[in-house]
Every structure is written in C-alpha cells, then in structure tokens.
Amino acid sequence: NSDISDLNKPTVPSNRVSQIMRYGFPGLDNIRAFDDYVLSYDRRNRTAHWVFEHLNRDNTKHNDNVSRDKCEFFEDDSVHEYFRAKNSDYKKSGYDRGHLAAAANHRHSDSAMQQTFVLSNMAPQVGKGFNRDAWAMLEKYVRSLTKHFVNVYVCTGPLYLPRYENDGKLYVKYEVIGKNNVAVPTHFYKIVACEDKNGQIELLSFVMPNQPLPDNLQLNAYLVPLDTIERASGFLFFDKLPRNLVKRINGKKT
Amino acid sequence: NSDISDLNKPTVPSNRVSQIMRYGFPGLDNIRAFDDYVLSYDRRNRTAHWVFEHLNRDNTKHNDNVSRDKCEFFEDDSVHEYFRAKNSDYKKSGYDRGHLAAAANHRHSDSAMQQTFVLSNMAPQVGKGFNRDAWAMLEKYVRSLTKHFVNVYVCTGPLYLPRYENDGKLYVKYEVIGKNNVAVPTHFYKIVACEDKNGQIELLSFVMPNQPLPDNLQLNAYLVPLDTIERASGFLFFDKLPRNLVKRINGKKT
Ligand SMILES: [Mg+2]
Ligand SMILES: [Mg+2]
C-alpha cells in the first residue's frame, strides 16, 4: 500500500539521515528529518516521541559565528494545526521550552542550530534545577564524550511514568498546558551509543525526573537499564546495533 | 529508506485492506491487518490506537455456526513482549477485556470472529453499565445501520482526555493495570461513515466515558464534533473521504 511509505518520507538527503539513524529507527511514526537530527512527533502529546542525533568532534566544535542569541523558537508548520504546539501554549505555563536535541550540539552552523528551535523539538521542562541545570549538565556530559569516541549517537525523549496513588492503584498522570494541551512529561530519557576507533560500543541510558534536582548531581545515579526505557516508551532503541559490538552498558562490562 | 515501509506492511491481501481503509489511514504506526479489520497498535499504552472495520448487510449477517462461546482471548505474538498485553494483566483488575472491533460485527465466519479476540483489539472497559450495556448498545446501533446503508465504515479507539483538578490545572490521568501496565482509557470513540446507494455519506462521531452509564441511554447525547476526537487522539479520520459527498454530520445537514 503506497500510503504507508509516502507519509513517512524523510525530507532531507537520505545519506545524512542514514548516518544519524545508523543503528535503527525506534519507530516510524511521523518522522521529521532536519539537516542534523531526526525526530518522531507524538501528535497526541504535541511533543516528540524521540529525537536522534549523531555527534562527533567536528560537528560539535564551537563556531564563534554561531550563537543561540540569534535563534527564535518557531512553530512546526509541517504538523497539522490540530496537533501543533504553539509558543502561546508555553507562555505563563511556568515551564521552559526545553530542547530535546540540544542547541549546543549543533553549534557548527547557524541553520543547524536554528532548526533545533522548532517547537516539535521542545517539551515543557521545569526551568530552574532541571532544564537550566541538571539536564543541561547531562547534555554537556554527552557532548564531552565526543572527545573520547569517534561517533556518539544520542536518542532523547519524554516519558510518562506511572505512580502508585493512595488507593494502591497505578496511574499515569501528567499536566497538559496551553490551548493545545501540550503534555508535560514526568521524566526524560537520554540513550547514548559511543563508538570508539575500533568500532566497539559503549551504551549509556539515563532517566531524569522533570523536577528540580540537587546541585551536587551525580549523573551515574540516573543510569537505568535500557529495557526500562523501552518498556515505558513503547520503543526499541539501537535495535540494529550488533550486540557483540557492545562492550559496556551503563559502565559495566558486558 | 527501506526501513520505513517494511515494518508497516499489511499482512493480508491488500484488496480487503484497501476496502476497509478506503477513506484513509488515521495513522501509520504499527499497523496490523486481520482478515476483516485493521488495527494500529499503541505500544506505549498496550492497546490499539484505532481499529477500522467495513460492515455491510452480508458480512454482519448472523451465521448459526458462528458463536463467541467458541472464542478465546489470546495474546498478540506479533507484538514485542515488552509491549504486549496479557490475559493476566486483566485478571482481578476489575475491568472487562472490551472489544474495539466488536465480535458480533464479524459473525459471518469463525475465523473472522476469533481474530477479534486478540488482546491488541481489547482495552480495559468498565463491565457493568458500559461494556455490557451502553457501549454494547452503541455497537448494536452501528450494526443496524447496515440495514439502511450499503457500506458502513467504523473506526473505534480509546481516548485519554484531560480534566481540571483542584489546582486549576489540566491533567491527563489514567490507571494502568497488570504487570504490563495496560492503560485504562478514560473514554472511547466510535466514528462511523455510512454510504448510501448513491455514494452519499452520513458521518457520526461518538465519545463515551469509560464508566457505568444510565440505562435510559440516548445515543445522540454522545455525539461530538469530529475534530474533538481528532485533536484528542492525534489522528485525522476519513481524510480521504471527499467532503462534498458528506450530506449529514451527526444528524445535521451539511
Ligand atoms: Mg535545555
Ligand atoms: Mg464489548
């Protein structure tokens, strides 16, 4: 059926998409390909399902001519207006427009950085103590991995985790903001596959709650088994990565 | 990219799929095609996004040899075990395994009816007052439309609607049951496109809360504008249906 492939066609040259998505698509729902990252949009929650980046020493290099001060958040016109997040949804919500693909990962070019400011790449994040602090530290740490590894593949997204309530039952509960009911994720995940010069892989998978976190952050404390994220999100990550290449998972030898 | 089409390929002859899906796929995520209905699976919530059926006088005809007593609920092995609902998830949950594609819509053949008992076609429904009563009445009403129309296209699915809480903020909240966290939808929708012998269409779109509803049910009271369901679900329904053919929407002339 031709419907099935048409809607999901990448919109940029497929060679960069193939590089970024080298180890498999977590899912094929509403794919958007930008110059330097690939996104799957969750039309029900008005934020991404997942965002995929491919970092290395070159493309994360600082460029004095590129600055986020020139960038402005913009709505994603490719998303039907019924499902589109707007800047007005975030206004007075108390939440930051938090990047999933981090702006600073794309500072090699104006247009690549500008493209990270599309609202499809945002999710409502607690500002102080999270987006501007703990989460930013995690982003910085992931960027720093390009010093030690040849290729760093990063998949980032929201989670909506259940909690027990007083009645002993388990509930998923999350706020939705603005006229367009943009979902406020309870948590965010970041899964990182680091490839060394011998093609060997180290996997890291983090989950952080969307709330102010302590200053004396130990990133290790937020490592979780990959399948925890997979079960909660409904996606399989890096499923085309040959498991015999994976030498470490969350710091432990395999 | 060949990945994108492979995963979503229909698994039954495409002519029946094309008939059922004649007026467009609401989405292309995790499509499962059965002999007589088509389903999109929500791997995060362990139930369907939507289920599509094509009813007419012939295929809803009663067949004495077909009985739901012979049918058993079964797990969907085509779904990865991380995302699969199990019979044990429903056990002692207090909820029925509620059909989305109704069993009685497929009583022309044993195998067609049996296929509606896959757990991917189930969602946790309140039994008394809803699955066994109000919702069953709606199903029966939709079936009865085949007496007056040549083709009846039915799309059915769950909703997770937000509500205001005491803090004045809007929250989506729903229970999840069993070890696999099967989501309990807050509401269900059913959208029906009825085609008469002249090819003219009447559209009906219902939303019912997943709770016991009064006995003296007036189905009209559950009609809602189609875009309410579209915005809440993240899908566009019947988007390939030429709007000039639609003569009535929810009982009103267009
Ligand atoms: Mg940020
Ligand atoms: Mg039922």
Side-chain angles (χ1 to χ4, degrees), chain A residues 1 3-5 7-10 17-18 25-29 31 42-46 49 80-83 160 162 165 169-176 181 227 230-236 240, chain B residues 1 3-5 7-10 17-18 25-29 31 42-46 49 80-83 160 162 165 169-176 181 227 230-236 240:
Chain A
N1 195 303
D3 292 325
I4 283 173
S5 47
L7 258 179
N8 281 316
K9 259 185 200 151
V17 173
S18 314
F25 282 75
L28 300 166
D29 189 30
I31 305 284
D42 180 349
R43 303 202 301 186
R44 185 165 68 208
N45 281 339
R46 332 305 195 197
H49 282 304
H80 189 287
E81 65 159 334
Y82 287 179
F83 316 131
Y160 307 90
E165 295 209 354
K169 296 178 181 173
L170 206 50
Y171 294 89
V172 169
K173 181 180 176 184
Y174 53 91
E175 191 180 348
V176 295
N181 290 351
D227 78 284
E230 292 180 318
R231 289 171 198 272
S233 66
F235 297 110
L236 298 173
K240 290 193 173 164
Chain B
N1 193 305
D3 293 325
I4 284 175
S5 47
L7 259 179
N8 279 316
K9 256 184 204 152
V17 172
S18 315
F25 282 74
L28 300 166
D29 190 30
I31 304 286
D42 180 349
R43 303 201 300 186
R44 186 166 68 209
N45 282 338
R46 334 301 195 199
H49 282 304
H80 189 287
E81 64 159 335
Y82 287 179
F83 315 130
Y160 308 90
E165 295 208 354
K169 295 178 181 173
L170 206 50
Y171 293 89
V172 169
K173 181 180 177 183
Y174 53 90
E175 190 179 349
V176 294
N181 290 351
D227 78 283
E230 292 180 318
R231 290 171 197 272
S233 65
F235 297 111
L236 298 173
K240 290 193 173 165

Side-chain angles (χ1 to χ4, degrees), chain B residues 65-110:
Chain B
N65 298 316
V66 177
S67 158
R68 60 179 294 157
D69 298 338
K70 299 181 203 162
C71 293
E72 278 182 25
F73 294 96
F74 63 102
E75 294 166 14
D76 189 341
D77 291 335
S78 77
V79 172
H80 189 287
E81 64 159 335
Y82 287 179
F83 315 130
R84 199 185 303 160
K86 300 197 171 161
N87 282 310
S88 55
D89 294 320
Y90 284 85
K91 204 165 269 179
K92 294 185 186 167
S93 72
Y95 294 101
D96 279 8
R97 291 165 291 192
H99 283 67
L100 296 173
N105 292 353
H106 304 273
R107 58 193 171 190
H108 62 281
S109 110
D110 268 335

